[in-house]
Amino acid sequence: MAFWLPSSSNHSWRLPEILLFLLLVSTGVTSREFLKNADFESPPSNLPENSNKTSVALYKNNTIPGWTFQGAVEYITADQTKNISLPDKGHAILLGEDGKINQTFTADADILTYLLTFALVPGGHNCSLTAPLQISAPDTDALFSFSQHYGKEPWEVHGVYLGSWGDREFVNLEILSQSNDSTPTCWPAVDSLHIKTMGIVMPDGDNLVVNGGFEYGPDFLESSEEGILLDSAPTPFFSPLIQWAILGKVRYINSKHFFVPQGNAAVELVSGVSSGVQAATKLQAGSSYTLSFTLGDANDSCKATFLVGAQAGLTSRNFTLESNGTGSAAKFNMTFTAGPDVNTITLLSYTTSQTKDGDFCGPVIDDVILRVSHGLRVSVPWKSLIPVCLITIVCFF
C-alpha cells in the first residue's frame, strides 16, 4: 500500500497536519457519494416542465434517476405558501401506504463500516402522528418516526449504522413506510441521504476508551443546523457512534452550530432520564483506573440542573452541572477498581430537560478519557494496527 504526501516545495506541512492526514488514512474515512440522486434534485421522468405542483404521484411509467420504487410514492417540492419545508434545494420523496424506494450501490474493496445520514420530514401539515420510516440494508433494519421535538427545524436528521462490507460487493438500500396500528395523520418523507465509510478507529494515546472525543460518527448535513439524532443502539458493534452503545436517544452535535467542549463533535443526551452512552474495555482486574469526562451544555437555551450518573466497573457516582444554556462546561473524574473481564463505562442522564420553546435537550458529554491511575502508562500495540509505512513516515518527520 502506497501513501502520497504533497511535496514540501509546494506546501509547508506542520507535524499536526501530517498526523491528521495519517489518522484519516489509517481509519479509512471517506465521504464520497455512493448514492445517485441522493437529494432527489433530479426530477422523475415525464414530469411536466415548469410544473407548479407541490406533489406528483409516481406511476409505473415514471422513473426516479438512480432509484426504483413500489407502492404509493410521491415527488414533493418545498412550498412556503403551503407550509412545506424541506432540506437542501427543496425536493424529497414521500412514501405513502406500502411506499418503497431502493437503490443498489457498490461497496469499496476494503472492509469498511457504512454510516447513513438522512433527513426525515413529516409529509403533511400539523402532523401529530407520522407513520414510521424503515431503513433496511443487508446488516440492518431500523425504524424512525417523529415522537418528540428536538429543534426548530420542521424536519429531523438521523444517523444509522448500515453495515460493514468490502470486496466490491453489491449493497441494496431500501427505504419504506411502515403502517402502524392507528391511522397516521402523515406519511413520512425522506431527503438528503449521505453515506460515510470508516475503517478501524484507533486508540488515542494512552486513553483506553476508543473514540472518547466522539469525533467518529455520521457526517453532518450542510442543510441542517440541529445536529444528528442517534436512536438506541444496544451494542457498540452496530452503532453509528463508533465504539459506543447508545441508550435512549442522543443528539450528535458539531462545533459549527453548538458549543462543543473539545474538538469538532460531542453528544447531547436529549431523550431524558436513562438516555446515555456506553463503552466497554478490557481492564486488569483489581487495578486502579481514573475516568474523566467533560459535562456541559450545547448553547441551545437548555437551562436546567443536569444530573449525570457515571458508572465504571463496579463503581457509580453522580455529577451535577448548573446550566444557563449559553455554553458552559466542567471537567469531572472518578477513580475505580476494575472488575474481572470486560468493564463497562456508562454515562447516563438522570433528568429530562426542555427549552422554553418546548424542545427536548440535555447535558453534553465530551472528552471521555480512561487511564491507569498513579501515572502508569499503558502500552498500546500500535504496530499491530498501523501499517509499517505509516510509522516510517511519522518517524521521518
Side-chain angles (χ1 to χ4, degrees):
M1 183 181 293
F3 296 93
W4 173 85
L5 283 174
S7 170
S8 58
S9 61
N10 297 325
H11 298 268
S12 177
W13 281 70
R14 295 170 299 180
L15 183 58
E17 295 169 336
I18 295 168
L19 292 179
L20 176 60
F21 172 84
L22 294 174
L23 183 61
L24 292 177
V25 169
S26 60
T27 54
V29 177
T30 62
S31 294
R32 72 177 177 87
E33 290 298 338
F34 287 86
L35 300 175
K36 299 176 181 177
N37 196 21
D39 56 5
F40 306 107
E41 294 308 310
S42 295
S45 61
N46 301 327
L47 188 69
E49 293 186 10
N50 301 320
S51 173
N52 58 3
K53 292 183 178 181
T54 58
S55 177
V56 176
L58 304 183
Y59 301 97
K60 63 181 180 179
N61 60 336
N62 294 109
T63 59
I64 312 171
W67 299 88
T68 59
F69 68 93
Q70 297 177 14
V73 177
E74 297 181 26
Y75 185 70
I76 61 175
T77 303
D79 188 334
Q80 297 303 321
T81 62
K82 296 185 179 181
N83 196 31
I84 300 177
S85 297
L86 300 172
D88 281 339
K89 299 175 183 178
H91 296 90
I93 293 295
L94 185 144
L95 301 171
E97 187 172 7
D98 298 322
K100 180 178 79 170
I101 60 174
N102 69 283
Q103 183 174 151
T104 299
F105 63 91
T106 304
D108 281 334
D110 297 329
I111 299 294
L112 299 172
T113 295
Y114 286 72
L115 308 177
L116 173 69
T117 307
F118 69 96
L120 176 62
V121 186
H125 309 306
N126 301 318
C127 297
S128 59
L129 180 64
T130 302
L133 182 82
Q134 182 177 348
I135 303 289
S136 293
D139 291 348
T140 191
D141 275 299
L143 289 177
F144 302 89
S145 61
F146 286 87
S147 56
Q148 298 175 334
H149 203 254
Y150 298 98
K152 298 177 176 58
E153 294 173 340
W155 58 81
E156 293 178 348
V157 177
H158 291 264
V160 58
Y161 168 90
L162 289 183
S164 295
W165 307 293
D167 298 325
R168 306 289 184 187
E169 61 185 302
F170 296 115
V171 180
N172 185 44
L173 173 65
E174 293 186 345
I175 304 172
L176 58 157
S177 63
Q178 287 287 324
S179 299
N180 48 23
D181 295 336
S182 56
T183 303
T185 60
C186 298
W187 291 100
V190 64
D191 194 11
S192 305
L193 292 94
H194 179 71
I195 290 177
K196 177 181 183 179
T197 62
M198 190 170 299
I200 297 173
V201 177
M202 302 177 184
D204 181 13
D206 58 351
N207 186 4
L208 298 176
V209 175
V210 178
N211 196 22
F214 304 108
E215 298 299 305
Y216 299 99
D219 268 353
F220 296 94
L221 296 183
E222 289 294 331
S223 57
S224 175
E225 299 180 356
E226 296 292 343
I228 305 173
L229 293 175
L230 306 180
D231 283 25
S232 177
T235 169
F237 302 109
F238 305 103
S239 169
L241 189 62
I242 300 300
Q243 293 296 322
W244 288 91
I246 300 170
L247 311 174
K249 189 191 295 285
V250 306
R251 176 159 53 188
Y252 192 47
I253 61 174
N254 63 351
S255 57
K256 182 177 179 180
H257 299 113
F258 297 90
F259 171 72
V260 171
Q262 183 269 335
N264 178 63
V267 293
E268 182 182 11
L269 312 183
V270 294
S271 63
V273 176
S274 296
S275 66
V277 291
Q278 185 177 74
T281 183
K282 179 80 171 177
L283 303 178
Q284 184 175 347
S287 294
S288 180
Y289 296 83
T290 298
L291 173 70
S292 66
F293 63 94
T294 299
L295 174 61
D297 76 85
N299 190 23
D300 56 0
S301 302
C302 195
K303 188 176 182 179
T305 300
F306 296 143
L307 178 62
V308 171
Q311 175 264 322
L314 302 177
T315 302
S316 299
R317 284 186 58 188
N318 294 338
F319 300 90
T320 302
L321 179 72
E322 292 291 339
S323 166
N324 58 12
T326 58
S328 61
K331 289 184 176 292
F332 298 93
N333 64 77
M334 59 184 283
T335 300
F336 67 98
T337 300
D341 300 322
V342 175
N343 286 246
T344 58
I345 306 298
T346 307
L347 296 165
L348 203 63
S349 175
Y350 289 151
T351 54
T352 299
S353 306
Q354 290 177 272
T355 67
K356 62 181 180 181
D357 296 326
D359 300 332
F360 283 83
C361 59
V364 169
I365 305 294
D366 199 5
D367 200 21
V368 181
I369 298 174
L370 176 63
R371 293 192 175 106
V372 179
S373 296
H374 310 304
L376 297 178
R377 186 176 180 85
V378 176
S379 176
V380 178
W382 290 104
K383 291 186 179 180
S384 66
L385 298 174
I386 307 177
V388 174
C389 54
L390 289 183
I391 299 174
T392 304
I393 294 173
V394 173
C395 294
F396 174 80
F397 284 96

